Amino acid sequence: MRTWISSRPALIGLYLAAVLGLSVGVWVYGYVQALDQVAARGRSDLELAADRLVTQLQRYREFAVLMARHPTLELLHTVGDRAVAEAVLLAAADKTGTLTALYADARGQVLASSTGDVPPDLAQSPHFLRALQGALGVSLGIRNGQRTFSFAAPNFGATGKVRGVLVAVVDVVELEQDWRGTLPTVYFTDADGQIFITNRSELLFWKPAGDGAMEAPDLARYDVALQRLGGHEIWLQDWSPYVPQRALYLSTPLPVIEMEGGALIDVTPARRLAALQAAVVVAVCLFLGALLFLTTERRRALALANIVLEERVAARTRALSATNTALRREVREREEAEAALRQAQTELVQAGKLSALGQMSAGISHELNQPLMAIRSYAENGVAFLDRQRPEKAGEALGRISEMAQRMARIIRNLRAFARQESAPVTRVDLGRVLQSAVELTETRREQAAVDLVWQRPEAPLWVRGGDVRLGQVFVNLITNAADAMEGGARRRLEIGIVTSAHTLVTFRDSGPGIEEPDRIFDPFYTTKAVGGGDGMGLGLSISYGLVQSFGGTILGANAAGGGAVFTVALEPWAEEVAA
Ligand code: ADP
């Protein structure tokens, strides 16, 4: 079952959402990391600006302290010359870059001034009052649109009381010049939070207006939206084209000059870096995802192809095993048919033999009767010779009787051998002996038909592959057929010959009328003899054909050129090594 999670669009959507989530995470992490670096750099910039300011102001502090004890100025309380003292103050002011240096008594009466300029409310100014208390006074002020720092140092008289005060007035513009433009937006605010010193002139004299907003001198309000991220404070504002709209806010207190330093550092590079990192992560994830997708698709396609292939193989295997089963069944049926055929053949052979025996029975009984009659007459003769006291003649008769008995025994042995059912495998057979036995077995039939036989038994045994009884049956059949064909003819001559070459050939050549239909003689039940008369069944040659073939030989029947029929039986010579 396909669930929503297994469907490809859902998976792809899920993956893209995960990539999006990851990229947001990477962006935030990268942004915070980059902000840390921006903050560190910004802090050092702010520290630098603050250090410069403090160091510069320190110079004027020390100047004020040192000049307060100047002998020329001290003399002003007694016999001093104002012009001389003012020349000293001017020289010192010029060397230190002080705007105005003046010396006043404890009542605020100016005794000497480097520029001749006398501040109107000197006696009430905070730095003067502080100096009167014996400490170093510092205060900010604006005069004629000019921002100034005023340092006041006391001069203690012999009694230890403050009798005079040296005031050094410093122009802030001089201080700003050093670091203007080189740093990020930096400003310093006084105790009320008003911007007094800055490297962005448009921010001068801005002061807090509550709710985090700032108010310009022209009373315009400038809002600030705050963001906090990873311990950093980010200001979103639209103050000026020269102040970054999205800026990291840093601050540092400056207790020495009673001010606070602030810096606004652009975070755009940090955002860009974070975006770049997130983009790289997204690109890598998308690339890997695409790779994974393609691989999965390919694997899927292969798996599908595999399933199709397996189904095909299974179908083919099923078809093959069905064919195999059918073939096995066929083989079994054939084997059964073959066995039935063999059985039928064996039965036919036997039937053929019995038929032949039936045909031969008349001749056989005649064959046995003849010696029996002879034995009887020899016995009677023997009795007569004994009666006449001629034992030698009687012995002769008995000898003839014994010969006759032997002949009868041989005939009976041949008959028994012929009738026997042979199922032995192919073995070594002496061709001459088997032919001789067949000739003897058919003797009566030949004599009946008055056939002249031309036959010479080979002297040495001639071994061929076959079976005694079955081969004898083939030869008996061929001799009987020849006798049948020639019976009543003018010439009755049967020649049996043996030729040995690659095969051993036995030929039966008769002088009969020849074969009527040579193509049909080996067909079962083909006969030209009177059926039913006990003459022929048409089985002899077909059985002989099967027998010779089972020995690995052949049998042929043809008409001879000079008349008559020739039957040739080709047999395999017995080779010991083949048999082995
Ligand atoms: P059958 O002897 O019972 O007729 P065979 O199979 O032995 O059966 O012979 C088949 C036929 O072949 C015979 O009927 C005969 O016509 C023919 N034939 C066999 N031998 C000869 C022969 N030597 N000369 C002429 N015809 C023959």
Side-chain angles (χ1 to χ4, degrees), residues 107-128:
R107 294 192 312 272
Q109 190 74 39
V110 175
L111 303 178
S113 168
S114 63
T115 53
D117 182 32
V118 175
D121 48 357
L122 178 67
Q124 275 73 49
S125 59
H127 52 280
F128 188 82

Side-chain angles (χ1 to χ4, degrees), residues 13 33 47 81-82 86 92 108 146 154 183 212 232 301 409 420 447 464:
Q33 294 291 311
E47 300 286 345
D81 186 346
R82 184 178 178 124
E86 282 187 343
Q146 212 173 15
L183 293 170
H232 301 291
R420 203 172 77 225
E447 279 172 6
V464 291

Side-chain angles (χ1 to χ4, degrees), residues 106-381:
R107 294 192 312 272
Q109 190 74 39
V110 175
L111 303 178
S113 168
S114 63
T115 53
D117 182 32
V118 175
D121 48 357
L122 178 67
Q124 275 73 49
S125 59
H127 52 280
F128 188 82
L129 292 173
R130 186 105 177 90
L132 283 183
Q133 289 167 7
L136 183 79
V138 183
S139 67
L140 313 173
I142 303 171
R143 236 182 108 202
N144 307 328
Q146 212 173 15
R147 288 167 293 147
T148 56
F149 260 105
S150 299
F151 295 92
N155 180 4
F156 300 98
T159 54
K161 272 189 163 181
V162 177
R163 60 173 177 173
V165 173
L166 186 115
V167 178
V169 183
V170 182
D171 187 359
V172 171
V173 176
E174 291 276 326
L175 303 177
E176 282 174 342
Q177 256 166 9
D178 270 1
W179 41 275
R180 179 172 289 159
T182 57
L183 293 170
T185 304
V186 173
Y187 56 80
F188 296 92
T189 55
D190 61 15
D192 300 331
Q194 189 176 34
I195 296 174
F196 196 73
I197 304 172
T198 175
N199 56 357
R200 298 288 185 273
S201 54
E202 60 269 37
L203 302 184
L204 260 182
F205 306 123
W206 285 26
K207 57 186 180 199
D211 304 337
M214 294 290 273
E215 191 183 87
D218 59 2
L219 300 181
R221 252 180 85 97
Y222 290 92
D223 288 322
V224 176
L226 271 187
Q227 257 184 9
R228 288 188 191 279
L229 193 66
H232 301 291
E233 192 175 309
I234 292 160
W235 285 12
L236 307 176
Q237 82 276 305
D238 192 15
W239 289 357
S240 130
Y242 304 105
V243 177
Q245 288 193 351
R246 193 182 288 267
L248 178 71
Y249 171 73
L250 298 170
S251 68
T252 181
L254 300 174
V256 180
I257 53 170
E258 294 177 1
M259 298 187 88
E260 186 171 295
L264 289 172
I265 296 142
D266 194 5
V267 294
T268 312
R271 290 170 72 83
R272 222 176 273 150
L273 187 69
L276 192 71
Q277 286 173 344
V280 167
V281 168
V282 168
V284 168
C285 286
L286 288 183
F287 176 72
L288 289 179
L291 214 63
L292 193 73
F293 179 74
L294 286 179
T295 315
T296 319
E297 280 300 290
R298 201 176 135 71
R299 215 184 265 175
R300 221 171 123 101
L302 277 177
L304 281 177
N306 208 19
I307 287 170
V308 170
L309 197 69
E310 273 173 9
E311 275 170 4
R312 263 195 223 158
V313 167
R316 195 98 187 87
T317 309
R318 271 198 302 278
L320 277 176
S321 54
T323 312
N324 199 15
T325 314
L327 275 176
R328 275 170 198 277
R329 199 172 50 239
E330 216 166 286
V331 167
R332 206 170 44 247
E333 283 170 5
R334 280 198 181 205
E335 280 172 355
E336 282 168 11
E338 243 174 61
L341 194 67
R342 257 200 308 277
Q343 176 71 18
Q345 205 174 28
T346 317
E347 283 166 9
L348 268 180
V349 169
Q350 201 57 19
K353 280 197 291 193
L354 293 178
S355 155
L357 278 174
Q359 284 176 29
M360 290 189 289
S361 60
I364 291 165
S365 57
H366 169 73
E367 193 70 11
L368 291 176
N369 243 349
Q370 240 186 351
L372 208 56
M373 297 303 290
I375 286 171
R376 193 174 155 189
S377 88
Y378 281 125
E380 285 168 1
N381 286 353

Side-chain angles (χ1 to χ4, degrees), residues 355 359 477-486 494 508-510 512-517 520-530 535-544 558-559 564-567:
S355 155
Q359 284 176 29
N477 189 40
L478 290 176
I479 295 169
T480 319
N481 274 353
D484 288 350
M486 292 187 291
L494 174 64
F508 298 81
R509 180 188 297 269
D510 65 49
I515 306 166
E516 278 179 37
E517 292 174 287
R520 295 189 59 196
I521 49 172
F522 293 107
D523 293 348
F525 304 109
Y526 171 76
T527 180
T528 54
K529 295 167 194 168
D535 280 352
M537 276 177 69
L539 284 173
L541 283 180
S542 66
I543 290 169
S544 299
N559 287 320
V566 184
F567 282 83

